[in-house]
Amino acid sequence: MSVATAAPSTTAAPSTAAAPSATAAPSATVTADTAADLAGCAPLPVLGRDVTVPLVTGGEVTYAALDQAASAPALQRVWDDVAAYAPYYGSVHRGAGYLSQLSTDLFESARRTVADFLDCRTGDQVVFTRSTTDSLNLLASALPEGCRVFVFETEHHAALLPWPRRDVTVLDAPDSPRQAVETLERALADRDPHGPALVCVTGASNVTGELWPVRELAAVAHAHGARIVLDAAQLAPHHPVSVRDLDVDWVAFSGHKLYAPFGSGVLAGRADWLRTAEPYLAGGGASRRVGRRADGGVDVEWHTDAARHEAGSPNVIGVHALASACRTLTEAGFDTLVAREQRLIRRVREELADVPEVRWLSLFGDDAPRVGVLSFVVEGWNSSHFAAALSAEYGIGVRDGLFCAHPLVRRLLGGAAGHRGECGAPDAAPGERSLNAVRVSLGAGTPDEHVERFVRAVRELVRDGARWTYRTVDGRCVPDTPAA
Ligand code: PLP
C-alpha cells in the first residue's frame, strides 16, 4: 500500500511532502556493526541500535537486545511510516473530515496488507486486537456451545489459559513432532465426534524456539472435524506464515514481537464463528443499528464483519505500524531473513558446543528446526544471576524465568524441585537443578556483533565467574553497586 491508496478514496492525496509513505526505502543506513555481515544479508535497520548502556565494571557499550521473543525493537521503516502518518492522524470509521477518511482508508488497507502477509483465504476475516493474548481470548469468547478445546501443556499461558476450564483437554508434552501428531490423533479420536472442537497450537515455542508440525496437526484436526488456531506470536516474526498452506482455521500474532511495538495484534481466519459470536467488546463501532425496544430496553444489531469485535476507537497507528512491518519483512525477503537468523543460531550453538556447563533446553532434540529463540541453564549458576551478569557486565539484555510457559519450562528443567537461592549467594551446586532458565532470542535486526558478544560473555562467565557481586532486590538480581 502506498500513500496514494492510503489517501481517502473520495479525495485527493495530501499534497505535503510529509505525506505517509508506506513504500519509502528504510531511511537508516547500515551501521558499522553490520559491515562484517554477509553481503546481501545485513540485519534490517531497527531503532535503538546505537543506544549505549553503562557497564557496572566501567564504560559503556551499545545495548545488545537479545530478548526479542519478549518484544522486538521497532523497525526503522515502521517508525518512519508512523512518523509520516502521525500528522494525518484522525478518527477511524466515524468522521466526515479529510483526515478521518484518510485514516479509515489506511486502517482498512492495513487489513488487506495483513491478509496478504498471512496468505489468507477469500472470506477470511482479519480482526485487529491488542496482542496475541487478546486475539486468543477473543476466539475463546467466540467458541460455539459445547466446544472442546485441545491444547498441549507446552503452550505459552496466552494459549493455555483463555479457554473455559471445564472444556479444555490438556495434552502431555510430546518428545517429537511425530509424537505431537499421534497424541492429538488419539485425543481427537476419543472425543465426542458430534460436538465442535478446537485445537490451539504454537508455531514456534517461545522457550525452545522449536517449530511445531502445524500442517500435520491441522490435517489431524480437520480429519476429526475439529478446527485449529495457530499461535504465531513467535513464528510470524521469524518465518512466513501461510494460512492457506498450513490449512489452519485462525492465526494470532502480536505487533510488538513483529517489530511494530504500537499496541496492535491480529486474529485472522474463518468468519463463521466470529460472525455469530457475541461481540468481544460491546460498544460503538461494533453495532450497525441501536434503538429502544417497546419494553424500554435497548435493541441492537451488530456488525457481522471484523468490526463486530473491534468496538471503540481503533488503534490506527498501531495497525498502520503492524502493516508496515508486514510489508517490510516481505519486501526484505523472508528467505534471506530466515537464512541469516539460522546462521546466527548455528553460530551460538557451535561456538558454545565445547562449554559443557551450558545445557540447552529442548523438547524435540538438539537438531530440531527452530527460530532464533534459545533457552539454557548453566551448571553452577542461578539463571537470574547469569542474566544479571550478562546485562551489567556486557550490556546484553536476555530474559530469565519461566517465560509464561511454566509447565513446559519446569518439565525441561527436570521437575519442580531444584535450587533457587539468592542470586549473590553461591549458586546451584554441580548436579543441582536450576528453577528457572535464561532465554536468548534474536531478530531480523540483530547484528552479528551482538551474537559474538553473547558467546564471548557466556564463555567468560562460565570460565572466570562474575566480576561483580549481585544481590536480590524485590525478586530481581541486581549488581551490588548500581551502575553509574
Ligand atoms: N504466544 C507465544 C508463543 C508467546 O511467546 C507470547 C508472548 O511471549 C504470547 C503468545 C503472548 O503474546 P502477547 O504478550 O503479545 O499477547
Side-chain angles (χ1 to χ4, degrees):
M1 178 196 65
S2 68
V3 66
T5 57
S9 42
T10 49
T11 47
S15 57
T16 157
S21 171
T23 51
S27 64
T29 49
V30 174
T31 62
D33 265 338
T34 62
D37 289 329
L38 292 182
C41 231
L44 297 183
V46 290
L47 295 191
R49 59 197 182 284
D50 298 324
V51 166
T52 57
V53 291
L55 299 180
V56 73
T57 44
E60 293 201 334
V61 66
T62 51
Y63 183 66
L66 294 180
D67 187 16
Q68 307 218 358
S71 283
L75 286 166
Q76 180 69 50
R77 161 87 175 267
V78 168
W79 182 252
D80 292 346
D81 282 349
V82 165
Y85 164 62
Y88 299 90
Y89 175 78
S91 64
V92 169
H93 294 150
R94 61 199 71 202
Y98 187 94
L99 297 194
S100 292
Q101 292 179 49
L102 184 142
S103 296
T104 300
D105 279 3
L106 201 69
F107 188 78
E108 290 305 327
S109 74
R111 227 188 274 286
R112 294 189 290 278
T113 300
V114 170
D116 288 347
F117 180 70
L118 295 173
D119 191 21
C120 286
R121 298 158 291 237
T122 310
D124 279 347
Q125 275 187 2
V126 173
V127 183
F128 287 119
T129 65
R130 291 178 301 164
S131 61
T132 309
T133 304
D134 203 29
S135 298
L136 294 175
N137 275 271
L138 159 57
L139 188 61
S141 76
L143 299 180
E145 189 64 29
C147 185
R148 184 108 220 122
V149 180
F150 295 83
V151 56
F152 286 93
E153 64 167 316
T154 47
E155 293 295 336
H156 187 281
H157 297 170
L160 199 54
L161 300 180
W163 324 106
R165 292 285 179 283
R166 66 173 189 287
D167 298 331
V168 178
T169 300
V170 179
L171 307 174
D172 289 343
D175 57 22
S176 68
R178 186 194 173 122
Q179 198 180 73
V181 176
E182 289 167 358
T183 301
L184 182 66
E185 174 93 55
R186 266 195 310 277
L188 290 177
D190 284 351
R191 82 180 180 98
D192 165 10
H194 301 299
L198 176 74
V199 177
C200 177
V201 69
T202 189
S205 165
N206 71 308
V207 176
T208 65
E210 289 163 319
L211 296 174
W212 277 63
V214 177
R215 193 182 292 105
E216 292 79 358
L217 292 169
V220 168
H222 292 151
H224 288 274
R227 297 277 182 96
I228 185 165
V229 55
L230 171 63
D231 170 358
Q234 298 297 342
L235 188 62
H238 302 278
H239 212 278
V241 173
S242 166
V243 167
R244 206 185 299 260
D245 179 46
L246 294 172
D247 198 17
V248 291
D249 297 284
W250 292 278
V251 57
F253 70 94
S254 304
H256 72 103
K257 295 184 197 291
L258 195 95
Y259 318 104
F262 293 87
S264 63
V266 167
L267 176 69
R270 306 262 180 222
D272 50 359
W273 288 9
L274 300 175
R275 196 167 36 223
T276 50
E278 280 295 300
Y280 183 44
L281 290 174
S287 49
R288 203 197 311 265
R289 193 190 54 77
V290 178
R292 291 296 299 276
R293 286 199 311 250
D295 66 3
V298 176
D299 189 29
V300 56
E301 184 190 332
W302 300 110
H303 281 294
T304 51
D305 59 6
R308 184 181 188 87
H309 300 292
E310 291 175 347
S313 299
N315 174 9
V316 58
I317 295 231
V319 159
H320 179 49
L322 193 145
S324 165
C326 293
R327 275 192 306 273
T328 308
L329 293 176
T330 305
E331 287 166 18
F334 241 126
D335 289 348
T336 312
L337 298 177
V338 170
R340 179 167 191 280
E341 187 178 297
Q342 291 300 315
R343 178 172 63 77
L344 293 179
I345 313 171
R346 260 198 317 277
R347 195 154 166 190
V348 171
R349 296 293 297 266
E350 284 169 10
E351 294 192 13
L352 291 174
D354 63 347
V355 183
E357 291 85 352
V358 173
R359 178 168 76 84
W360 302 103
L361 303 189
S362 164
L363 205 52
F364 298 157
D366 275 354
D367 298 330
R370 49 170 51 83
V371 298
V373 178
L374 297 164
S375 295
F376 61 99
V377 288
V378 183
E379 191 168 321
W381 282 80
N382 172 305
S383 293
S384 304
H385 187 185
F386 201 84
L390 285 173
S391 169
E393 300 178 29
Y394 295 91
I396 298 171
V398 295
R399 180 160 170 202
D400 62 286
L402 301 177
F403 318 131
C404 295
H406 293 184
L408 171 59
V409 180
R410 289 214 180 91
R411 168 179 282 268
L412 295 174
L413 292 177
H419 179 91
R420 180 157 193 108
E422 293 289 290
C423 67
D427 292 310
E432 236 181 347
R433 284 193 293 250
S434 185
L435 255 192
N436 57 1
V438 185
R439 181 179 72 188
V440 56
S441 48
L442 328 168
T446 301
D448 284 28
E449 189 277 322
H450 291 182
V451 168
E452 284 155 15
R453 200 190 321 168
F454 172 76
V455 167
R456 177 170 57 83
V458 172
R459 296 185 77 90
E460 286 179 3
L461 287 171
V462 169
R463 190 188 61 216
D464 306 330
R467 281 170 290 168
W468 210 257
T469 55
Y470 295 81
R471 65 200 158 97
T472 303
V473 177
D474 296 334
R476 292 299 307 163
C477 192
V478 294
D480 236 340
T481 306

